[in-house]
């Protein structure tokens, strides 16, 4: 093998020592050669009498077996105290939630939404909904009223679980625009007009003992993600995704019986669902859930006091920890920790290496996206790490780079995509379709879904390189989508909200570099004729956007522009805004992300 294959040579390869716990993936090439998805399918037991249901694989079968009393979820409250649910208890509560859905007349296939923090109710509702055969769609609780309204509307949500405060602030004002929304269940009752008290319904409901006999291809989860244009996209996922969650939990996260596993992602996003709930439960391990927000000392206390063995987190959080300093890490006993992985945004090689200095373990970057449903490319526990690389495809996944023309379109010849093989060249990261957690469509947008598949490949929208030994290196997004603190933000959504302000004629939103969040949203605003660009107005527009969009999506900065650069057809040229912002030559946009 060539060392680093000429990429990121500043960072020498981290050579691994044999792990204390024998890894599930000890020999990468041999496992890849042997692996068959059908074997993974057989490793799960399926419903007695046929059918595949995520809730059965994650909880039901454990509750009926030797893991019945094993701690499934351990919630860490604000004061550091914990509340645990065994597999049997989780099964019982989710059966009761399924009973609530039944009593409300909800049908299998109907969509149940949540707008909740990481409280036990959320986890019970996810599992109860899947058990009942309805479709779960989590919304991130830091969304403002507009993203909430839009997603509930697009997804045709029939049931929503939320808190009293979120309901008043984010749902009640737009409820009349959501005719499909029949039942709003408050988790912190008592109910108020137009809502129901979940605790009361749970107490009254007879548990639904049967688990819905869903087929592998039945819809289970809906995750909204952002594109460059148009409304958010509802990526549809099916029950069979659990096969990939199981396999990646094994190979990419190396979960073993007895592990205490902590995924810091919020279930409002796909990582928090696939790897904060499904994968650990399918493996019968204990999943830690922190009910609070990120704080360096709090996190170190959790790692130490909960004896976390496997930790799956994100670059923004890791950068914050690195800034907090190595001493902070060393003040805690992290001796239980044996594996650290990261996902969601580019992971700086400094952070990979710093992990070793701080807690004696490097960080294992991995790559995937909402559409893939599960980890696709990873650094493995027993494999050396090339800091800065996302790693190699997991067994069962074929990844390649598709060549793009000057307009950023994939090059196809005779029906086949042209692949980039030169390690010096970048291409669009592409995956051979057919893995179990692959999304099965964008809700109500068949054409948009079809366009993702070209010449036999699923195109991810990311640009990457692959070194001579098959390690993948992230280059950037191939479109205008913004990644801020791990959250994907559609510039169009930001621009549309800004344009609802009375003073705004047009807006263009881009991501600008930020040392902690990777990128933050900056908006360029063209004011209506005759409106004065004052600081007061800037603050007013910022406040307006924050109120509508919520802090997770709103721009951090606004600049007034007399004219926004546009294509001939009138689309805002975000690439040019970015080039100007970053001081890159405007004529040469080849290093920038091209719109698709
Ligand atoms: P999401 O669908 O919100 O999970 O976002 C997926 C996108 O996040 C990917 O298409 C990438 O652009 C980015 N991403 C995820 N993981 C990584 C990683 N390890 N390195 C760089 N970018 C990543």
């Amino acid at each position: 093998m060539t060392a680093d294959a000429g990429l990121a040579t500043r960072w020498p390869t981290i050579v691994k020592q044999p792990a204390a716990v024998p890894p599930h993936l000890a020999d990468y090439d041999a496992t890849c050669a042997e692996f068959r998805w059908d074997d993974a399918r057989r490793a799960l037991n399926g419903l007695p009498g046929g059918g595949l249901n995520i809730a059965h694989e994650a909880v039901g079968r454990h509750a009926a077996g030797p893991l019945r009393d094993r701690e499934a979820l351990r919630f860490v409250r604000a004061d550091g105290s914990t509340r645990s649910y065994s597999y049997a208890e989780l099964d019982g509560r989710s059966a009761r939630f399924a009973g609530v859905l039944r009593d409300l007349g909800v049908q299998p296939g109907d969509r149940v939404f949540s707008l909740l923090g990481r409280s036990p109710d959320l986890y019970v509702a996810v599992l109860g909904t899947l058990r009942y055969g309805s479709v779960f769609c989590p919304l991130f609780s830091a969304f403002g009223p507009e993203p909430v309204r839009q997603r509930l509307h697009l997804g045709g949500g029939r049931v929503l679980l939320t808190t009293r405060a979120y309901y008043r602030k984010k749902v009640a004002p737009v409820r009349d625009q959501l005719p499909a929304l029949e039942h709003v269940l408050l988790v912190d009752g008592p109910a108020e007009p137009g809502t129901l008290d979940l605790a009361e319904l749970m107490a009254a409901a007879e548990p639904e003992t049967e688990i819905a006999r869903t087929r592998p291809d039945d819809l289970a989860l809906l995750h909204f993600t952002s594109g460059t244009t148009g409304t958010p996209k509802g990526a549809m996922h099916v029950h069979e995704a659990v096969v990939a969650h199981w396999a990646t939990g094994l190979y990419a996260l190396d979960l073993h019986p007895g592990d205490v596993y902590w995924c810091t992602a919020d279930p409002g996003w796909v990582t928090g669902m696939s790897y904060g709930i499904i994968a650990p439960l399918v493996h019968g391990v204990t999943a830690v859930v922190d009910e609070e927000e990120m704080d360096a000392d709090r996190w170190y206390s959790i790692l130490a006091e909960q004896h976390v063995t496997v930790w799956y987190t994100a670059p923004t959080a890791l950068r914050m920890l690195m800034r907090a300093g190595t001493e902070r890490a060393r003040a805690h006993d992290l001796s239980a920790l044996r594996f650290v992985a990261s996902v969601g945004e580019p992971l700086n090689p400094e952070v990979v290496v710093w992990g070793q200095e701080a807690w004696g373990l490097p960080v294992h970057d991995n790559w995937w996206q909402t559409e893939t449903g599960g980890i696709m490319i990873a650094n493995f526990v027993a494999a050396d790490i090339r800091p800065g690389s996302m790693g190699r495809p997991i067994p069962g996944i074929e990844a390649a780079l598709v060549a793009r023309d000057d307009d950023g379109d994939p090059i196809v010849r005779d029906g086949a995509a042209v692949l980039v093989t030169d390690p010096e060249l970048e291409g669009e990261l592409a995956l051979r379709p057919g893995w179990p957690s692959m999304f099965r469509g964008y809700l109500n947008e068949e054409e948009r879904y079809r366009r993702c598949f070209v010449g036999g490949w699923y195109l991810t929208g990311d640009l990457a390189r692959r070194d001579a030994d098959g390690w993948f290196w992230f280059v950037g997004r191939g479109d205008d989508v913004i990644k801020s603190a791990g959250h994907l933000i559609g510039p169009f959504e930001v621009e549309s909200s800004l344009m609802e302000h009375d003073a705004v004629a047009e807006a263009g939103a881009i991501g600008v570099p930020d040392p902690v969040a990777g990128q933050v949203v900056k908006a360029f605003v063209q004011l209506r004729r005759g409106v004065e660009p004052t600081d007061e107005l800037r603050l007013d527009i910022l406040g307006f956007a924050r109120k509508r969009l919520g802090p997770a999506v709103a721009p951090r900065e606004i600049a007034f522009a007399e004219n926004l650069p546009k294509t001939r057809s009138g689309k805002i040229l975000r690439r040019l805004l970015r080039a100007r912002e970053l001081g890159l030559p405007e004529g040469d946009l080849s290093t920038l992300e091209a719109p698709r």
Side-chain angles (χ1 to χ4, degrees), residues 149-327:
R149 184 202 64 78
Q150 198 168 38
R151 286 159 177 78
L152 270 167
H153 170 73
L154 291 170
R158 186 166 177 201
V159 179
L160 170 71
L161 273 92
T162 189
T163 63
R164 172 181 304 275
Y166 289 152
Y167 179 70
R168 284 191 183 152
K169 198 168 150 197
K170 307 182 188 195
V171 184
V174 293
R175 178 108 188 237
D176 60 344
Q177 298 168 44
L178 299 166
L181 183 58
E182 253 176 80
H183 310 291
V184 175
L185 316 184
L186 296 188
V187 301
D188 54 355
E192 49 184 83
T195 70
L196 297 165
D197 178 347
L198 178 65
E200 230 171 58
L201 297 176
M202 287 283 276
E206 277 299 316
E208 178 60 65
T209 45
E210 285 287 303
I211 297 184
R213 205 168 290 288
T214 40
R215 288 165 309 208
D217 271 348
D218 281 344
L219 200 55
L221 295 158
L222 185 60
H223 281 290
F224 280 97
T225 182
S226 299
T228 305
T229 55
T231 54
K233 311 178 273 188
M236 302 198 284
H237 289 283
V238 297
H239 280 272
E240 195 190 26
V242 69
V243 175
H245 298 144
W246 175 81
T248 49
L250 199 73
Y251 294 135
L253 299 175
D254 196 43
L255 293 176
H256 283 70
D259 267 328
V260 177
Y261 162 83
W262 184 23
C263 169
T264 61
D266 189 282
W269 304 101
V270 72
T271 307
M273 178 66 70
S274 297
Y275 294 99
I277 306 181
I278 303 172
L281 297 181
V282 168
H283 280 275
V285 304
T286 299
V288 169
V289 180
D290 182 15
E291 294 188 11
E292 290 300 300
E293 294 314 312
M294 202 258 158
D295 169 83
D297 288 323
R298 182 177 172 85
W299 275 31
Y300 283 132
S301 301
I302 291 176
L303 288 169
E305 286 163 20
Q306 306 306 326
H307 305 286
V308 172
T309 55
V310 177
W311 182 31
Y312 193 23
T313 188
T316 293
L318 290 166
R319 286 190 289 263
M320 284 166 87
L321 292 176
M322 193 165 110
R323 287 190 151 210
T326 308
E327 288 315 307

Side-chain angles (χ1 to χ4, degrees), residues 1 28-29 376-378 380 383 390-394 469-472:
M1 268 193 190
Y28 178 75
D29 294 327
M376 297 284 109
I377 294 177
F380 303 97
M390 308 188 287
R392 289 172 290 175
I394 68 150
D469 302 318
W471 261 258
F472 283 82

Side-chain angles (χ1 to χ4, degrees), residues 375-388:
I375 300 169
M376 297 284 109
I377 294 177
N379 282 283
F380 303 97
V381 68
D384 295 347
I385 295 182
R386 300 179 176 191

Side-chain angles (χ1 to χ4, degrees), residues 8 24 42 116 269 282 342 370 400 412 428 440 487 545 571 588:
H24 288 299
R42 277 191 288 274
L116 288 173
W269 304 101
V282 168
S342 160
T370 304
V412 179
E428 180 162 356
R440 303 304 160 90
H487 304 147
K571 282 194 215 140
D588 174 16

